[in-house]
Tab-separated table of all heavy atoms in Angstrom:
chain	number	residue	atom	x	y	z
A	1	TYR	N	8.102	-7.815	-1.837
A	1	TYR	CA	7.256	-8.541	-0.896
A	1	TYR	C	7.084	-7.761	0.409
A	1	TYR	O	6.032	-7.823	1.048
A	1	TYR	CB	7.847	-9.916	-0.612
A	1	TYR	CG	7.782	-10.872	-1.784
A	1	TYR	CD1	8.413	-12.112	-1.752
A	1	TYR	CD2	7.095	-10.521	-2.947
A	1	TYR	CE1	8.350	-12.986	-2.829
A	1	TYR	CE2	7.043	-11.381	-4.023
A	1	TYR	CZ	7.666	-12.618	-3.964
A	1	TYR	OH	7.600	-13.465	-5.030
A	2	ARG	N	8.128	-7.034	0.812
A	2	ARG	CA	8.020	-6.241	2.048
A	2	ARG	C	6.964	-5.145	1.880
A	2	ARG	O	6.176	-4.887	2.802
A	2	ARG	CB	9.376	-5.613	2.395
A	2	ARG	CG	9.342	-4.775	3.669
A	2	ARG	CD	10.739	-4.383	4.114
A	2	ARG	NE	11.364	-3.470	3.170
A	2	ARG	CZ	11.137	-2.150	3.149
A	2	ARG	NH1	10.297	-1.618	4.017
A	2	ARG	NH2	11.756	-1.384	2.289
A	3	ILE	N	6.933	-4.512	0.705
A	3	ILE	CA	5.942	-3.470	0.449
A	3	ILE	C	4.539	-4.069	0.357
A	3	ILE	O	3.562	-3.514	0.875
A	3	ILE	CB	6.287	-2.696	-0.836
A	3	ILE	CG1	7.626	-1.974	-0.664
A	3	ILE	CG2	5.188	-1.693	-1.174
A	3	ILE	CD1	7.669	-0.996	0.481
A	4	LEU	N	4.412	-5.238	-0.286
A	4	LEU	CA	3.108	-5.897	-0.363
A	4	LEU	C	2.595	-6.239	1.040
A	4	LEU	O	1.402	-6.104	1.320
A	4	LEU	CB	3.202	-7.169	-1.213
A	4	LEU	CG	3.339	-6.971	-2.715
A	4	LEU	CD1	3.564	-8.304	-3.420
A	4	LEU	CD2	2.115	-6.265	-3.301
A	5	GLN	N	3.496	-6.686	1.918
A	5	GLN	CA	3.094	-6.989	3.286
A	5	GLN	C	2.623	-5.731	3.998
A	5	GLN	O	1.641	-5.754	4.761
A	5	GLN	CB	4.267	-7.611	4.045
A	5	GLN	CG	3.919	-8.057	5.461
A	5	GLN	CD	2.892	-9.175	5.478
A	5	GLN	OE1	3.046	-10.178	4.794
A	5	GLN	NE2	1.824	-9.010	6.243
A	6	GLU	N	3.312	-4.614	3.753
A	6	GLU	CA	2.905	-3.342	4.359
A	6	GLU	C	1.510	-2.948	3.884
A	6	GLU	O	0.661	-2.550	4.686
A	6	GLU	CB	3.907	-2.246	3.979
A	6	GLU	CG	3.516	-0.862	4.492
A	6	GLU	CD	4.472	0.216	4.006
A	6	GLU	OE1	5.617	-0.111	3.626
A	6	GLU	OE2	4.066	1.400	3.975
A	7	TRP	N	1.261	-3.064	2.570
A	7	TRP	CA	-0.062	-2.716	2.029
A	7	TRP	C	-1.136	-3.642	2.601
A	7	TRP	O	-2.245	-3.207	2.897
A	7	TRP	CB	-0.030	-2.801	0.506
A	7	TRP	CG	0.816	-1.746	-0.132
A	7	TRP	CD1	1.364	-0.646	0.458
A	7	TRP	CD2	1.231	-1.690	-1.507
A	7	TRP	NE1	2.093	0.090	-0.440
A	7	TRP	CE2	2.022	-0.521	-1.656
A	7	TRP	CE3	1.022	-2.496	-2.618
A	7	TRP	CZ2	2.590	-0.151	-2.876
A	7	TRP	CZ3	1.589	-2.139	-3.830
A	7	TRP	CH2	2.363	-0.976	-3.963
A	8	LYS	N	-0.800	-4.918	2.749
A	8	LYS	CA	-1.760	-5.872	3.325
A	8	LYS	C	-2.078	-5.502	4.773
A	8	LYS	O	-3.241	-5.515	5.193
A	8	LYS	CB	-1.187	-7.282	3.249
A	8	LYS	CG	-2.076	-8.352	3.868
A	8	LYS	CD	-1.447	-9.722	3.692
A	8	LYS	CE	-2.315	-10.800	4.325
A	8	LYS	NZ	-2.358	-10.686	5.788
A	9	ASP	N	-1.033	-5.167	5.542
A	9	ASP	CA	-1.233	-4.792	6.937
A	9	ASP	C	-2.088	-3.531	7.072
A	9	ASP	O	-2.812	-3.365	8.066
A	9	ASP	CB	0.116	-4.560	7.622
A	9	ASP	CG	0.923	-5.853	7.760
A	9	ASP	OD1	0.314	-6.939	7.650
A	9	ASP	OD2	2.143	-5.774	7.957
A	10	LYS	N	-2.012	-2.650	6.065
A	10	LYS	CA	-2.792	-1.414	6.086
A	10	LYS	C	-4.230	-1.638	5.593
A	10	LYS	O	-5.051	-0.720	5.601
A	10	LYS	CB	-2.123	-0.353	5.203
A	10	LYS	CG	-0.755	0.108	5.689
A	10	LYS	CD	-0.848	0.927	6.964
A	10	LYS	CE	0.512	1.444	7.386
A	10	LYS	NZ	0.435	2.249	8.628
A	11	GLY	N	-4.515	-2.866	5.135
A	11	GLY	CA	-5.865	-3.164	4.648
A	11	GLY	C	-6.129	-2.659	3.248
A	11	GLY	O	-7.290	-2.499	2.857
A	12	LEU	N	-5.071	-2.427	2.451
A	12	LEU	CA	-5.222	-1.933	1.079
A	12	LEU	C	-5.389	-3.133	0.147
A	12	LEU	O	-4.554	-4.036	0.142
A	12	LEU	CB	-3.991	-1.112	0.681
A	12	LEU	CG	-3.550	-0.048	1.695
A	12	LEU	CD1	-2.277	0.627	1.218
A	12	LEU	CD2	-4.650	0.983	1.908
A	13	LYS	N	-6.444	-3.116	-0.655
A	13	LYS	CA	-6.725	-4.304	-1.478
A	13	LYS	C	-6.978	-3.990	-2.940
A	13	LYS	O	-7.230	-4.908	-3.726
A	13	LYS	CB	-7.926	-5.069	-0.908
A	13	LYS	CG	-7.670	-5.678	0.464
A	13	LYS	CD	-8.837	-6.530	0.917
A	13	LYS	CE	-8.565	-7.174	2.262
A	13	LYS	NZ	-9.685	-8.026	2.720
A	14	ASP	N	-6.959	-2.704	-3.343
A	14	ASP	CA	-7.180	-2.395	-4.750
A	14	ASP	C	-6.279	-1.232	-5.166
A	14	ASP	O	-5.603	-0.610	-4.344
A	14	ASP	CB	-8.655	-2.072	-5.039
A	14	ASP	CG	-9.185	-0.942	-4.159
A	14	ASP	OD1	-8.508	0.107	-4.051
A	14	ASP	OD2	-10.272	-1.100	-3.580
A	15	VAL	N	-6.265	-0.945	-6.457
A	15	VAL	CA	-5.357	0.052	-7.009
A	15	VAL	C	-5.630	1.436	-6.437
A	15	VAL	O	-4.697	2.175	-6.093
A	15	VAL	CB	-5.472	0.079	-8.550
A	15	VAL	CG1	-4.688	1.255	-9.124
A	15	VAL	CG2	-4.948	-1.218	-9.137
A	16	ASP	N	-6.892	1.810	-6.326
A	16	ASP	CA	-7.224	3.153	-5.831
A	16	ASP	C	-6.733	3.344	-4.394
A	16	ASP	O	-6.162	4.390	-4.057
A	16	ASP	CB	-8.737	3.385	-5.897
A	16	ASP	CG	-9.223	3.558	-7.327
A	16	ASP	OD1	-8.381	3.882	-8.190
A	16	ASP	OD2	-10.416	3.369	-7.584
A	17	ALA	N	-6.942	2.341	-3.549
A	17	ALA	CA	-6.517	2.448	-2.150
A	17	ALA	C	-5.000	2.541	-2.050
A	17	ALA	O	-4.460	3.346	-1.285
A	17	ALA	CB	-7.028	1.247	-1.355
A	18	VAL	N	-4.300	1.713	-2.846
A	18	VAL	CA	-2.839	1.747	-2.833
A	18	VAL	C	-2.317	3.077	-3.352
A	18	VAL	O	-1.398	3.671	-2.790
A	18	VAL	CB	-2.272	0.577	-3.664
A	18	VAL	CG1	-0.775	0.737	-3.870
A	18	VAL	CG2	-2.563	-0.755	-2.983
A	19	THR	N	-2.917	3.580	-4.440
A	19	THR	CA	-2.478	4.844	-5.031
A	19	THR	C	-2.650	5.993	-4.043
A	19	THR	O	-1.754	6.831	-3.873
A	19	THR	CB	-3.269	5.141	-6.313
A	19	THR	OG1	-3.051	4.086	-7.260
A	19	THR	CG2	-2.811	6.458	-6.934
A	20	ASP	N	-3.799	6.049	-3.375
A	20	ASP	CA	-4.038	7.107	-2.392
A	20	ASP	C	-3.021	7.023	-1.252
A	20	ASP	O	-2.507	8.042	-0.782
A	20	ASP	CB	-5.458	6.998	-1.823
A	20	ASP	CG	-6.523	7.345	-2.857
A	20	ASP	OD1	-6.168	7.995	-3.865
A	20	ASP	OD2	-7.689	6.979	-2.662
A	21	TYR	N	-2.730	5.802	-0.814
A	21	TYR	CA	-1.769	5.614	0.279
A	21	TYR	C	-0.371	6.049	-0.139
A	21	TYR	O	0.336	6.745	0.601
A	21	TYR	CB	-1.773	4.150	0.701
A	21	TYR	CG	-0.746	3.794	1.742
A	21	TYR	CD1	-0.879	4.225	3.063
A	21	TYR	CD2	0.372	3.023	1.415
A	21	TYR	CE1	0.067	3.895	4.022
A	21	TYR	CE2	1.312	2.696	2.367
A	21	TYR	CZ	1.162	3.126	3.672
A	21	TYR	OH	2.100	2.805	4.613
A	22	VAL	N	0.037	5.658	-1.366
A	22	VAL	CA	1.370	6.017	-1.867
A	22	VAL	C	1.503	7.526	-2.017
A	22	VAL	O	2.509	8.120	-1.627
A	22	VAL	CB	1.632	5.314	-3.217
A	22	VAL	CG1	2.885	5.877	-3.885
A	22	VAL	CG2	1.787	3.809	-3.017
A	23	GLU	N	0.471	8.163	-2.576
A	23	GLU	CA	0.525	9.610	-2.765
A	23	GLU	C	0.579	10.339	-1.418
A	23	GLU	O	1.279	11.345	-1.270
A	23	GLU	CB	-0.682	10.081	-3.573
A	23	GLU	CG	-0.640	9.652	-5.023
A	23	GLU	CD	-1.823	10.191	-5.813
A	23	GLU	OE1	-2.766	10.721	-5.188
A	23	GLU	OE2	-1.797	10.080	-7.048
A	24	ALA	N	-0.144	9.825	-0.429
A	24	ALA	CA	-0.134	10.455	0.901
A	24	ALA	C	1.256	10.334	1.534
A	24	ALA	O	1.750	11.280	2.146
A	24	ALA	CB	-1.180	9.807	1.791
A	25	ARG	N	1.898	9.183	1.388
A	25	ARG	CA	3.232	8.992	1.938
A	25	ARG	C	4.258	9.878	1.241
A	25	ARG	O	5.105	10.476	1.882
A	25	ARG	CB	3.656	7.529	1.816
A	25	ARG	CG	2.898	6.578	2.723
A	25	ARG	CD	3.612	5.254	2.839
A	25	ARG	NE	4.906	5.430	3.458
A	25	ARG	CZ	5.778	4.428	3.646
A	25	ARG	NH1	5.468	3.217	3.269
A	25	ARG	NH2	6.949	4.652	4.198
A	26	GLU	N	4.163	9.943	-0.086
A	26	GLU	CA	5.116	10.761	-0.819
A	26	GLU	C	4.904	12.239	-0.535
A	26	GLU	O	5.851	13.022	-0.537
A	26	GLU	CB	5.001	10.473	-2.318
A	26	GLU	CG	5.492	9.080	-2.679
A	26	GLU	CD	5.337	8.771	-4.145
A	26	GLU	OE1	4.665	9.571	-4.828
A	26	GLU	OE2	5.886	7.763	-4.590
């Protein structure tokens, strides 16, 4: 839930946006 809240705060709403964000962080 903490990670979902982080993604929500970043305005990420679909798989592509989340994947790009995760890859950038890693």
Side-chain angles (χ1 to χ4, degrees):
Y1 291 172
R2 180 170 67 82
I3 297 301
L4 287 174
Q5 184 64 51
E6 176 184 339
W7 292 349
K8 178 178 179 292
D9 293 342
K10 295 290 183 180
L12 311 176
K13 294 186 178 181
D14 55 48
V15 172
D16 288 340
V18 170
T19 300
D20 291 341
Y21 175 71
V22 169
E23 290 183 349
R25 290 196 63 182
E26 291 178 350

